[in-house]
Amino acid sequence: MPAPRKKAAVPAVSVPPSRPDRLDTRVLEALVGYNARRAWLTVSTVFAERMAVYGLKQVDFSVLSLLAHNPGATSRQLCATLDILPPNLVSLISAMDSRGLIERRPHPYDGRAIGLYLTPAGESLVHEAERTVVELEAEASAKLTARERETLIRLLQKIYH
Amino acid sequence: MPAPRKKAAVPAVSVPPSRPDRLDTRVLEALVGYNARRAWLTVSTVFAERMAVYGLKQVDFSVLSLLAHNPGATSRQLCATLDILPPNLVSLISAMDSRGLIERRPHPYDGRAIGLYLTPAGESLVHEAERTVVELEAEASAKLTARERETLIRLLQKIYH
DNA sequence: TATTGTTATACTCTATAACTATA
DNA sequence: TATAGTTATAGAGTATAACAATA
């Protein structure tokens, strides 16, 4: 807390007379959900700008990065891991296939499944993209020390793990 | 970090043979953006369930809570504070007006602006909703100590402030 | 000329139902 | 019967352009 100002007996007065552009957000800012969303929004804005160069959206990057470290993963696995629904992954995968970033190979022993693999072009792109993401993350969390950043990530994971 | 396992020389082997439902997400989980989004998603799911009782979405709650502590705030101020675009607030405000939760009064000295105020019904609803949100937040962050929760919020704010 | 609130509209994201082919 | 991938489609969320009234 920046200054335990005794709650200032919240003025029963209306806002208009002074009308500062800053509203009292103390209640919302006491919520994990609100703060997590705002922080994500900030980071994701920078993310979107930097990734536009590669023609990648956030979910595209997630998929490519997962495939880089999990070659042969299936759509179903990607959906389960990233918490997205199968129908919404189809066009995404199909587009990256058309771009020559990934390729689909029939699964060795399950005729229904399709293994997804990065092409050399995909490998190369994801390698550059991952480097940019690391840079961008460092900028976005520039106000945090390395130790604070680790703590932040650890605590966030405690929420959703 | 749970165990600095020397990166295990990431198996160049494909996934299919074993095919565990858990993919290697270490790269993504090292990113603030990814973790903030996942954590928010978790909290917001619980939030949506609990707030459905009151017929409120997250943004509705934010607006009502802001009006509770900033009576007479204008649409423009709500938009600036919550980072939403004016056209997208219109139907939202209008719906809450129809529900009798808020009322619009002409601004005392700016004929363009409209001051927004909670009705008694709105006050009552937001009071109950805020109590439920506090409960829900406690549940969602049950794996954190009170001190960790404070730290988490403080660090998230450092990202977006 | 700039700002508040508004309409209309488009685009993206997310969700549901139903189909096919394999298991 | 259940699962992987797919199609079509609906709904929610977010974005831009343009306008009237007021400053």
Side-chain angles (χ1 to χ4, degrees):
Chain A
M1 279 192 207
R5 61 165 121 161
K6 212 182 175 184
K7 207 184 175 187
V10 179
V13 183
S14 298
V15 171
S18 53
R19 198 139 77 99
D21 254 21
R22 279 297 180 202
L23 297 181
D24 178 351
T25 57
R26 278 174 291 172
V27 170
L28 295 182
E29 294 202 1
L31 306 176
V32 171
Y34 180 83
N35 287 290
R37 181 174 175 278
R38 294 302 296 249
W40 169 72
L41 214 71
T42 298
V43 178
S44 79
T45 299
V46 183
F47 193 105
E49 287 166 3
R50 296 290 217 89
M51 284 297 124
V53 183
Y54 306 109
L56 297 179
K57 306 194 179 192
Q58 312 193 36
V59 65
D60 298 321
F61 171 79
S62 295
V63 166
L64 291 180
S65 177
L66 279 178
L67 290 181
H69 305 96
N70 302 272
T74 66
S75 285
R76 201 219 144 273
Q77 288 178 310
L78 293 175
C79 283
T81 304
L82 295 175
D83 212 355
I84 55 186
L85 296 166
N88 299 329
L89 188 65
V90 176
S91 62
L92 206 151
I93 292 292
S94 157
M96 293 200 286
D97 191 356
S98 301
R99 278 181 68 183
L101 299 177
I102 66 174
E103 59 178 23
R104 326 187 203 197
R105 301 183 205 156
H107 193 279
Y109 62 82
D110 185 338
R112 298 169 301 182
I114 298 170
L116 301 171
Y117 298 82
L118 293 183
T119 60
E123 293 274 9
S124 163
L125 185 70
V126 86
H127 188 255
E128 281 187 55
E130 279 186 349
R131 273 194 47 214
T132 302
V133 167
V134 169
E135 269 178 37
L136 155 189
E137 278 266 329
E139 291 170 27
S141 56
K143 291 175 189 163
L144 275 57
T145 65
R147 201 174 186 302
E148 283 178 325
R149 187 170 177 282
E150 279 177 34
T151 301
L152 173 57
I153 288 177
R154 182 175 57 81
L155 295 179
L156 284 171
Q157 289 176 354
K158 274 188 141 182
I159 298 282
Y160 76 86
H161 268 329
Chain B
M1 282 194 206
R5 62 166 121 159
K6 212 182 177 185
K7 208 184 176 186
V10 180
V13 183
S14 299
V15 171
S18 54
R19 200 140 76 99
D21 255 21
R22 279 296 182 204
L23 296 181
D24 179 350
T25 57
R26 278 174 290 173
V27 171
L28 296 181
E29 294 203 0
L31 306 176
V32 171
Y34 180 83
N35 288 290
R37 181 174 175 278
R38 295 302 296 248
W40 170 73
L41 214 72
T42 298
V43 178
S44 77
T45 299
V46 182
F47 193 105
E49 288 167 1
R50 296 289 219 90
M51 284 297 122
V53 181
Y54 306 109
L56 297 180
K57 305 191 181 196
Q58 310 194 36
V59 66
D60 298 321
F61 172 79
S62 295
V63 167
L64 290 181
S65 178
L66 280 177
L67 291 181
H69 304 97
N70 302 272
T74 67
S75 285
R76 201 220 144 273
Q77 288 176 309
L78 293 175
C79 284
T81 303
L82 295 175
D83 211 356
I84 56 186
L85 296 167
N88 299 328
L89 188 66
V90 176
S91 62
L92 206 152
I93 292 291
S94 158
M96 293 199 287
D97 191 355
S98 302
R99 278 182 68 184
L101 298 177
I102 65 174
E103 58 178 22
R104 326 187 203 198
R105 302 183 205 156
H107 194 278
Y109 60 83
D110 186 338
R112 298 169 301 181
I114 299 170
L116 301 171
Y117 299 83
L118 293 182
T119 61
E123 292 274 8
S124 164
L125 185 70
V126 85
H127 188 256
E128 280 187 55
E130 280 187 348
R131 273 195 47 214
T132 301
V133 167
V134 169
E135 269 178 36
L136 155 189
E137 278 266 329
E139 291 170 28
S141 57
K143 292 176 189 163
L144 274 59
T145 65
R147 201 173 185 302
E148 283 179 325
R149 187 169 177 282
E150 279 177 35
T151 300
L152 173 57
I153 288 177
R154 182 175 56 81
L155 296 178
L156 284 171
Q157 288 176 354
K158 274 188 142 182
I159 298 282
Y160 76 86
H161 267 329

